[in-house]
Amino acid sequence: SITRDFAFVCDEDVAAQDILDEFFALSLVENAKLFDVYRSEQLGNGKKSLAVSVVFRDKNKTLQDSDIEKQVNKVLKSIREKYSAVLR
């Protein structure tokens, strides 16, 4: 498995579960969980940071970073478009 952590800056009204669901829609995602919510004036008024840990696994082979790169790019684009969330 490969574990990656992501932190997204998004509007206060974006639900963490919505971000997690985007990852769960990927075929190689075994688990995704929220591990931190951060609020600060530095992020901007009405903004928060959601930190997510994601475990990727393929039951048929050992994963390489290149195996998940396409899926990660796809989900990051989707999260940016749907929720206006950007990587921190």
Side-chain angles (χ1 to χ4, degrees):
S1 68
I2 296 175
T3 302
R4 291 267 181 94
D5 294 339
F6 303 90
F8 297 96
V9 175
C10 57
D11 291 335
E12 190 66 49
D13 63 348
V14 173
Q17 189 61 52
D18 291 339
I19 302 294
L20 293 174
D21 288 345
E22 291 291 323
F23 282 100
F24 280 121
L26 299 175
S27 63
L28 293 177
V29 171
E30 178 179 73
N31 194 20
K33 65 181 179 181
L34 178 72
F35 69 87
D36 188 43
V37 178
Y38 175 74
R39 292 173 177 88
S40 167
E41 289 181 16
Q42 294 172 337
L43 295 176
N45 191 25
K47 299 285 186 181
K48 65 182 175 184
S49 173
L50 301 174
V52 179
S53 183
V54 182
V55 178
F56 298 87
R57 183 183 306 274
D58 188 325
K59 295 176 184 175
N60 300 316
K61 66 176 186 168
T62 301
L63 283 177
Q64 303 296 319
D65 286 334
S66 59
D67 295 326
I68 65 168
E69 186 175 325
K70 185 175 181 180
Q71 286 199 347
V72 167
N73 289 337
K74 177 182 174 182
V75 78
L76 294 178
K77 180 181 179 193
S78 178
I79 290 170
R80 184 175 54 251
E81 290 174 356
K82 288 182 181 178
Y83 307 106
S84 299
V86 295
L87 280 177
R88 186 168 166 219

